[in-house]
Amino acid sequence: MIPLVLLAGLVSAAPAAAEDTAPPVTDRGKVLAFWKSGGPAVKSASGAALTGTDDEIRQYLAAGQKVAEDLDLREAALKLVTDAGPTLREAAKNALDGPPDGLAAFMKDGWKAPLADD
């Protein structure tokens, strides 16, 4: 069985929502926030975008961030496939074979029931 500490490191909670009193965030500020909180692919892609032009920042926010986030989710799910018990391993494989939204749902909380079965 995967130690819960390891699993907690693989599956991160969504960041808390900002209070309504916070000033508006610029596009570059959004990318910086992704860089600070993202996984390896998000951090790398965000860092590259931050060194670019404002147009490159907008392009990253429009599509690149989602691609990088999907890569980070796949990496975390692959770790589950190699480190988990049989039920969780099978569920992770199924999530990896499905659409990105299904993988995101699995990594959010879909792993809990298979882990309990293992």
Side-chain angles (χ1 to χ4, degrees):
M1 184 169 161
I2 297 177
L4 291 179
V5 173
L6 174 62
L7 191 57
L10 295 175
V11 181
S12 61
E19 292 185 38
D20 291 336
T21 59
V25 178
T26 65
D27 285 347
R28 198 166 290 273
K30 291 175 188 175
V31 175
L32 181 60
F34 288 131
W35 180 81
K36 288 180 178 179
S37 65
V42 170
K43 190 171 287 283
S44 176
S46 296
L50 286 169
T51 64
T53 64
D54 288 344
D55 189 47
E56 289 169 321
I57 291 284
R58 284 189 290 277
Q59 289 174 7
Y60 173 74
L61 290 172
Q65 191 278 330
K66 178 68 173 142
V67 171
E69 185 178 310
D70 288 346
L71 287 172
D72 282 339
L73 287 175
R74 291 189 66 74
E75 181 180 338
L78 286 169
K79 288 180 184 177
L80 289 178
V81 169
T82 59
D83 297 338
T87 306
L88 184 55
R89 183 179 305 121
E90 186 64 29
K93 284 181 184 178
N94 290 338
L96 284 164
D97 290 339
D101 291 343
L103 179 59
F106 173 77
M107 293 306 293
K108 180 179 178 192
D109 58 14
W111 55 269
K112 293 176 182 177
L115 177 63
D117 289 344
D118 280 343

